[in-house]
Amino acid sequence: MTELKSYKVWDVPTRWFHWITVLSVIGLAALGLVILNAGTLKIPNEGKILLKSLHVWVGYVFAVNIGVRIVWGFVGNHYARWRQVLPGGSGYLARVRSYAAAFAAGRPQHYLGHNPLGRFAVAVLLVLIAMQALTGLVLAGTDIYFPPFGHWIAQWIAAPGVDPATLVPYSPEMYDETTYADMRAMREPIGVLHLYGFYVLGAVIVLHITAVVVTELREGGTLISAMFTGRKLIPGQPVDMPDSATSKSAP
Ligand code: HEM
């Protein structure tokens, strides 16, 4: 039987990014679903403001976490770098074909970092979460006048004589009717993107989890536990072994 070797793959910041994203997406989706159904649930305006504020606070954690990960992609360890994470580069399509053919034939190729199909999935997930964060930050300004854009939005829509800093959500008497209507028109497509982003992200997350479980079972690897421990156990020679990689025999 081929000996299993243990390799250090995911560094600590990459693992924190993954699990903070998982937890914040669960929290954001749960709060988002309640916000979406606030009318049916007959939640009063004060309750909606509280729910939106909670959603936005979790959203800040989510957005800052994405920002840190973007920087980490330039300074992190070999496997955390964008060059190893995103699809593309010379020979990428050939690697996809070779990986898929080997997988279908029951002779899986073992990658230390993401396999070529995994890179594609990660790129889609990153685009979707970045889109949720950006649209969410704009909505936070238009809805409850929270940073980073709330200050400008409040100045834009405050009725003459009303101090923008005192603007209260759901208080039409404090808004200038015309500029408020303009602001709502600007906000409309962003709200639609945020809502459809939620649905698409939900579907892609289901696909991601399914693909990870199927790969783990099929390759007999340590894909899932590696996101906790940082180490992968691999039989034989990994396809993407860098010169600097160190391994030790698994106990
Ligand atoms: C994966 C991340 C996220 C998911 C799954 C998500 C999901 C949702 C959902 C389902 C809604 C209800 C949509 C509706 O009522 O039409 C919502 C609303 C909202 N989200 Fe998010 N959200 C995420 C991230 C964020 C972030 C990062 C922020 C801001 C920092 C944010 C701010 C808001 C605001 C202000 C609303 C209220 C919009 C409204 O009244 O319609 N969201 N979100």
Side-chain angles (χ1 to χ4, degrees), residues 69 72-86:
R69 180 63 183 90
W72 197 247
F74 296 101
V75 295
N77 82 355
H78 177 79
Y79 302 101
R81 302 240 171 166
W82 293 122
R83 193 188 284 262
Q84 310 303 321
V85 170
L86 297 178

Side-chain angles (χ1 to χ4, degrees), residues 24-76:
S24 49
V25 167
I26 292 171
L28 288 164
L31 287 163
L33 271 176
V34 184
I35 297 171
L36 187 59
N37 295 293
T40 320
L41 297 169
K42 300 196 169 45
I43 297 174
N45 285 346
E46 298 73 37
K48 284 192 221 165
I49 296 170
L50 179 65
L51 282 165
K52 288 182 183 184
S53 305
L54 279 174
H55 185 79
V56 170
W57 279 111
V58 181
Y60 288 151
V61 174
F62 174 76
V64 168
N65 189 43
I66 296 174
V68 171
R69 180 63 183 90
I70 290 173
V71 174
W72 197 247
F74 296 101
V75 295

Side-chain angles (χ1 to χ4, degrees), residues 28 32 36 52 55 59 62 132 136-137 140 143 187 194 198 201:
L28 288 164
L36 187 59
K52 288 182 183 184
H55 185 79
F62 174 76
Q132 284 306 101
L137 288 171
D143 257 45
R187 173 197 188 281
H194 196 71
F198 163 67
L201 184 62

Side-chain angles (χ1 to χ4, degrees), residues 191-226:
V192 171
L193 268 181
H194 196 71
L195 181 60
Y196 283 92
F198 163 67
Y199 294 136
V200 176
L201 184 62
V204 175
I205 288 174
V206 171
L207 278 176
H208 168 65
I209 295 172
T210 310
V212 167
V213 171
V214 168
T215 309
E216 171 101 18
L217 295 174
R218 190 83 191 239
E219 295 187 358
T222 46
L223 209 58
I224 298 170
S225 61

